[in-house]
Amino acid sequence: MMETEIHVPVGSPTIRKFPIFVDEHNVTEGAMKLIKELRPGWDPNLIRTKLFTDGTTNKLVGCYVEDCDEDVVLVRVYGNKTELIVDRDNELKSFQVLHANGCAPRLYCTFQNGICYEFMQGRALDTQDVRDPVLLRLIAREMARIHAIHAHNGCIPKPNLWIKMRKYFSLVATEFTDQASNVRIQQEVPSQEVLEQEMMWMKEHLSQLGSPVVLCHNDLLCKNIIHNVKEGHVRCIDYEYSSYNYQAFDIGNHFNEFAGMSEPDYNLYPSREMQLDWLHTYLQAYKLFTKKGEEVSQSELETLYVQVNKFALASHFFWGFWALIQAKYSSIEFDFLGYAVLRFNQYFKTKPAVTALEIPK
């Protein structure tokens, strides 16, 4: 397993740990205890909190002093049973590595069931923004910058996609057989055998595509991308699913997210033309960051296009399983089961056309 691990740079600051538990149904009270430790100089009477409501994994609250919103401390409380789907140790390592490379905010501390970190100034993107020609190129460059980070200890890094997908699958396998379980699963979700078969098929085909294994974000939905208009850059937030993975998975997953999350519309999946524009910008930046020149050949571009669209299939599966687990445990109000059905349906709908794509000789 060592090869899939992210290694924190030597000399990184140690993360403070507080033995504080924050109730996910009353985040503010616990947040105030943490603020007392992290910002002892703040006047408790002037501290204000803002609840962010659009997360689908955790509860998030921002704390700041009235009339001074430059210093906002975010307190994130892990959702119920999310340790089943998120490797928390890995998340902290990703956070540190990305911060050391100028791609992530500062991590202030961990507590029993969450973390506190710096708020990134800027605006979270939506489905319109990610297709904007200017923003689209900024995103492609930022992703290339993350992918170029060296965060392993000399071992050849291995992708954790199949390990993680297998784990997710084993967590929901009982739902298919348990009579007391959700009738909707048995009616709307493909059978366990079918999912098992597809997973095997994907692993055999996709592993052979030669996509490089790099440090990936793995969850670049629109709202995880923050645009700082003043500075003219974008940054990616939320590293819960970050890991070593296939380069093409990270990009294909982002393209799937053009559809949005609350009511996905897959007609918004980027056209071939838009993808080639994005991928050309990405490859130029990636080659520059990894010191491989910056000339992008037509065959490199076509190859990445095929890899990305094939890995986008795996992304549907991955989040389909994720949503089935969330449907079982999460206390967040969201139709996770409906979302799982959507992702599996989209997988089967796009599979024939994507399977037909061939890498140029």
Side-chain angles (χ1 to χ4, degrees), residues 92-159:
L92 296 179
K93 287 177 179 171
S94 305
F95 220 121
Q96 289 172 286
V97 166
L98 289 164
H99 176 65
N101 286 275
C103 298
R106 263 187 307 239
L107 181 58
Y108 295 133
C109 73
T110 65
F111 51 96
Q112 277 174 351
N113 59 328
I115 54 176
C116 298
Y117 54 100
E118 176 187 13
F119 175 72
M120 273 210 165
Q121 300 291 341
R123 185 178 66 86
L125 301 189
D126 61 27
T127 51
Q128 280 311 112
D129 299 316
V130 290
R131 28 188 350 107
D132 172 272
V134 176
L135 287 172
L136 167 154
R137 291 180 187 141
L138 284 178
I139 295 164
R141 282 191 203 104
E142 183 63 10
M143 207 153 163
R145 193 158 80 105
I146 292 172
H147 289 175
I149 293 171
H150 181 96
H152 54 85
N153 63 347
C155 291
I156 294 169
K158 269 194 179 157

Side-chain angles (χ1 to χ4, degrees), residues 47-310:
I47 297 174
R48 299 288 170 263
T49 57
K50 173 181 162 52
L51 190 66
F52 295 88
T53 50
D54 53 358
T56 43
T57 314
N58 314 289
K59 302 277 166 72
L60 189 62
V61 85
C63 306
Y64 57 98
V65 173
E66 199 172 70
D67 300 331
C68 175
D69 54 10
E70 280 88 70
D71 183 14
V72 180
V73 176
L74 291 178
V75 178
R76 174 197 284 185
V77 184
Y78 298 149
N80 183 40
K81 290 273 194 270
T82 50
E83 68 281 359
L84 293 173
I85 45 177
V86 175
D87 176 340
R88 295 297 176 191
D89 191 40
N90 199 56
E91 178 190 7
L92 296 179
K93 287 177 179 171
S94 305
F95 220 121
Q96 289 172 286
V97 166
L98 289 164
H99 176 65
N101 286 275
C103 298
R106 263 187 307 239
L107 181 58
Y108 295 133
C109 73
T110 65
F111 51 96
Q112 277 174 351
N113 59 328
I115 54 176
C116 298
Y117 54 100
E118 176 187 13
F119 175 72
M120 273 210 165
Q121 300 291 341
R123 185 178 66 86
L125 301 189
D126 61 27
T127 51
Q128 280 311 112
D129 299 316
V130 290
R131 28 188 350 107
D132 172 272
V134 176
L135 287 172
L136 167 154
R137 291 180 187 141
L138 284 178
I139 295 164
R141 282 191 203 104
E142 183 63 10
M143 207 153 163
R145 193 158 80 105
I146 292 172
H147 289 175
I149 293 171
H150 181 96
H152 54 85
N153 63 347
C155 291
I156 294 169
K158 269 194 179 157
N160 87 342
L161 178 64
W162 310 118
I163 300 166
K164 198 132 193 189
M165 213 187 267
R166 174 63 52 198
K167 185 188 174 188
Y168 282 11
F169 183 66
S170 64
L171 284 169
V172 291
T174 54
E175 298 300 288
F176 293 93
T177 48
D178 182 2
Q179 287 311 299
S181 118
N182 206 309
V183 180
R184 265 179 81 191
I185 287 190
Q186 288 159 5
Q187 287 174 346
E188 299 176 40
V189 176
S191 74
Q192 193 178 339
E193 292 70 36
V194 169
L195 295 176
E196 184 96 57
Q197 260 171 337
E198 292 299 321
M199 226 162 42
M200 301 277 286
W201 173 83
M202 259 189 298
K203 189 174 178 181
E204 266 165 44
H205 281 68
L206 297 186
S207 314
Q208 293 168 10
L209 289 176
S211 179
V213 174
V214 297
L215 182 64
C216 289
H217 182 285
N218 292 323
D219 189 21
L220 274 184
L221 44 143
C222 304
K223 67 179 177 54
N224 277 348
I225 303 167
I226 305 293
H227 180 213
N228 186 322
V229 185
K230 223 165 42 196
E231 311 262 334
H233 63 58
V234 298
R235 292 288 180 268
C236 307
I237 57 166
D238 287 5
Y239 319 109
E240 296 181 286
Y241 302 95
S242 301
S243 69
Y244 269 104
N245 208 348
Y246 299 101
Q247 174 190 51
F249 176 89
D250 214 8
I251 302 172
N253 182 67
H254 174 60
F255 287 170
N256 280 339
E257 293 295 348
F258 275 48
M261 174 100 193
S262 49
E263 288 173 19
D265 173 5
Y266 287 105
N267 295 319
L268 294 173
Y269 188 78
S271 64
R272 178 180 154 86
E273 194 185 358
M274 188 183 282
Q275 287 191 45
L276 291 174
D277 180 15
W278 197 107
L279 295 169
H280 190 272
T281 305
Y282 169 88
L283 276 171
Q284 257 187 332
Y286 183 70
K287 293 184 90 167
L288 199 65
F289 288 133
T290 52
K291 316 238 184 314
K292 295 193 176 95
E294 48 183 321
E295 278 300 306
V296 176
S297 71
Q298 195 54 35
S299 104
E300 281 177 298
L301 190 58
E302 286 289 340
T303 299
L304 186 56
Y305 172 79
V306 173
Q307 290 170 332
V308 161
N309 285 277
K310 287 184 187 281

